Amino acid sequence: MKDLKIGTKCVQGGYTAGNGEPRQVPIIQSTTFKYATSEDMGKLFDLEASGYFYTRLQNPTNDTVAAKICELEGGTAAMLTSSGQAASFYSVFNIASCGDHIVASSAIYGGTYNLFAVTMKRMGIDFTFVSPDCSDEELNAAFKENTKAVFGETIANPALKVLDIERFAKAAHDHGVPLIIDNTFATPVNCRPFEWGADIVTHSTTKYIDGHGVSVGGCIVDSGKFDWTKYPDKFPGLCTPDESYHGVTYTERFGLEGAYITKATAQLMRDFGSIQSPQNAFYINLGLESLHVRMKKHCENGLAVAKALQQDDRIEWVTYPGLEGDSEYALAQKYLPNGSCGVVSFGVKGGRKSAEAFMKGLKITAIETHVADARSCCLHPASATHRQMNDDELTAAGISPDLIRFSCGIEDAEDLIADIKQALDNI
Ligand SMILES: *Cc1c(COP(=O)(O)O)cnc(C)c1O
């Protein structure tokens, strides 16, 4: 599979049917797995043999779908989670605990910001947020003795800032920590962060990977490239025996390619249990099979809508990474040459009030706390997802109070533009 193109991996990755076996990935909707002897099962618990015993830890359907996403990203190991939130949480908590510190881009998904700044802070993990546009000096100054990782989004939701992954990877590596990238909006079809130096990738599979608004889910992929053993004092959880798991030292037993994901499975999934259901993993796989085809159309529509908005004098501003003249255009050309995503952000003249009136006028575009669906949808974050942020925090995250996030589906662009125009007429 390794040498195949991305579209072929979308369709065929992760699973090969044997003689007489199902062509489609089987849904193994079973909590448990049967063994002939206690010794057989004991070997699994000791991590001496690989196999399934309880779906909270591992399930064949989930593993198959995780393997496909792993191939798409070019990683060495991956796991599915019940949501993107769980993936973001596990990705950080797997290598940071009470007393540690993380550097994060300030332009990230509102739910992730809240997870970091409020909930994980309550757990004793401290975050320093830096603008993706900060200078190298500012970026380097954000690191502390106890920094354990850097976190950012390829394309920030909803600010649509494109992260300079190479620059952030270099800063992370200069300080001996990995770069974790939430690649939800770009998807591995449009950007593979490992190729730019990132070490771990997370996804909310709820978005483009599912693509049909069917199932909430997440995924974590490890590149296998970050050498934890160079910093055993910084990452004791990976480099010293885990007394809660049969005294296993993850880096010794599973190598750099498997240590991080095995630890996240054996400890975090065991204890927190944020598993994906096999049924949902099956739905995600159906989404993956057309991801490369849909992303093309999402991007085509995104660009058409962005251009139409740019030419409409009732629009105050438009942000779309693929739009020439956009602040992110140069970074998008570098990291997202085949297209960015289907999400366009803009402000209607007249500010917050006009934004609300515009939203009311939409006909085929639904108001939803969702993006990346085959059906177009639209959101005004300041009054919905980001309402916990004050104006300063909103500005730092690149979200103005008038920002409208328009997620272009895969309908015909002409109809989407017509819907926007009539909603503008209605203000
Ligand atoms: C939606 C989203 C998340 C959270 O994912 P859920 O599946 O809703 O838990 C995380 N990151 C980004 C970029 C998202 O868009």
Side-chain angles (χ1 to χ4, degrees):
M1 278 289 163
K2 237 184 145 170
D3 302 324
L4 295 173
K5 297 258 185 296
I6 200 83
T8 309
K9 288 181 182 174
C10 282
V11 181
Q12 300 213 5
Y15 177 69
T16 314
N19 221 13
E21 285 178 1
R23 183 72 177 103
Q24 181 53 283
V25 172
I27 305 168
I28 310 295
Q29 194 71 38
S30 180
T31 56
T32 33
F33 300 83
K34 183 195 135 180
Y35 287 92
T37 69
S38 301
E39 288 74 32
D40 287 349
M41 190 180 266
K43 283 190 187 132
L44 302 181
F45 275 97
D46 285 344
L47 301 176
E48 266 168 22
S50 64
Y52 298 95
F53 49 93
Y54 193 56
T55 283
R56 169 147 49 77
L57 282 147
Q58 275 189 298
N59 171 281
T61 309
N62 293 10
D63 282 0
T64 301
V65 179
K68 177 180 279 192
I69 300 173
C70 190
E71 278 174 32
L72 287 168
E73 288 288 2
T76 56
M79 69 196 286
L80 297 188
T81 56
S82 56
S83 66
Q85 284 300 104
S88 302
F89 173 54
Y90 283 19
S91 73
V92 172
F93 199 63
N94 200 34
I95 47 174
S97 49
C98 186
D100 288 338
H101 172 259
I102 305 290
V103 175
S105 164
S106 58
I108 49 173
Y109 174 65
T112 312
Y113 178 83
N114 205 68
L115 168 70
F116 289 172
V118 180
T119 300
M120 291 186 76
K121 193 175 167 58
R122 263 191 0 232
M123 300 168 82
I125 300 172
D126 217 19
F127 288 80
T128 298
F129 295 95
V130 295
S131 163
D133 297 328
C134 70
S135 68
D136 286 342
E137 290 70 32
E138 285 169 305
L139 180 53
N140 285 315
F143 288 83
K144 301 181 183 180
E145 259 321 85
N146 56 344
T147 302
K148 296 299 168 79
V150 178
F151 188 100
E153 277 175 38
T154 312
I155 307 171
N157 172 13
L160 303 180
K161 301 285 294 177
V162 177
L163 192 77
D164 191 342
I165 300 174
E166 262 187 331
R167 189 164 80 91
F168 274 66
K170 183 177 184 307
H173 298 159
D174 284 349
H175 292 86
V177 300
L179 175 64
I180 306 173
I181 293 289
D182 179 337
N183 197 32
T184 298
F185 262 32
T187 82
V189 169
N190 284 342
C191 179
R192 290 169 298 282
F194 295 157
E195 294 172 3
W196 301 101
D199 303 285
I200 290 145
V201 157
T202 63
H203 280 283
S204 166
T205 60
T206 317
K207 309 297 163 53
Y208 288 113
I209 287 181
D210 169 318
H212 300 78
V214 174
S215 60
V216 173
C219 184
I220 310 172
V221 188
D222 183 12
S223 68
K225 282 192 271 193
F226 190 82
D227 191 352
W228 315 101
T229 62
K230 265 170 82 178
Y231 314 98
D233 296 338
K234 217 178 258 190
F235 304 106
L238 285 154
C239 303
T240 53
D242 176 4
E243 295 313 332
S244 84
Y245 215 96
H246 311 267
V248 161
T249 300
Y250 294 101
T251 44
E252 273 174 20
R253 186 76 69 83
F254 302 100
L256 295 184
E257 63 280 6
Y260 176 88
I261 293 294
T262 308
K263 177 179 182 289
T265 304
Q267 285 180 347
L268 304 185
M269 203 53 99
R270 178 195 63 191
D271 295 352
F272 293 115
S274 322
I275 57 149
Q276 172 108 208
S277 81
Q279 183 76 38
N280 277 2
F282 177 83
Y283 294 139
I284 283 178
N285 188 54
L286 287 184
L288 282 165
E289 287 182 6
S290 63
L291 182 64
H292 56 304
V293 182
R294 286 184 290 108
M295 283 315 286
K296 249 192 209 129
K297 185 68 180 166
H298 281 295
C299 294
E300 198 183 291
N301 284 353
L303 189 58
V305 164
K307 281 183 174 164
L309 288 167
Q310 195 179 35
Q311 281 155 18
D312 195 308
D313 57 17
R314 293 165 293 183
I315 300 300
E316 186 78 45
W317 57 270
V318 184
T319 296
Y320 183 70
L323 193 63
E324 228 170 307
D326 190 87
S327 67
E328 308 306 295
Y329 187 70
L331 284 171
Q333 288 292 100
K334 174 174 176 179
Y335 292 105
L336 304 150
N338 300 323
S340 50
C341 63
V343 181
V344 180
S345 292
F346 60 95
V348 179
K349 279 186 183 154
R352 193 185 277 258
K353 267 225 158 76
S354 295
E356 280 164 14
F358 169 81
M359 299 287 289
K360 281 206 184 90
L362 291 167
K363 293 210 165 86
I364 62 166
T365 311
I367 297 177
E368 287 174 18
T369 314
H370 192 43
V371 286
D373 193 329
R375 291 149 296 191
S376 293
C377 53
C378 196
L379 182 79
H380 180 220
S383 57
T385 46
H386 286 61
R387 57 187 306 142
Q388 84 281 5
M389 287 189 178
N390 62 37
D391 277 6
D392 286 346
E393 287 168 338
L394 276 175
T395 308
I399 301 156
S400 57
D402 64 344
L403 182 146
I404 290 170
R405 181 182 71 183
F406 195 98
S407 172
C408 299
I410 55 174
E411 303 96 337
D412 289 305
E414 293 81 354
D415 290 332
L416 301 183
I417 292 165
D419 196 31
I420 290 170
K421 297 270 182 197
Q422 65 80 30
L424 286 169
D425 293 341
N426 249 1
I427 292 177

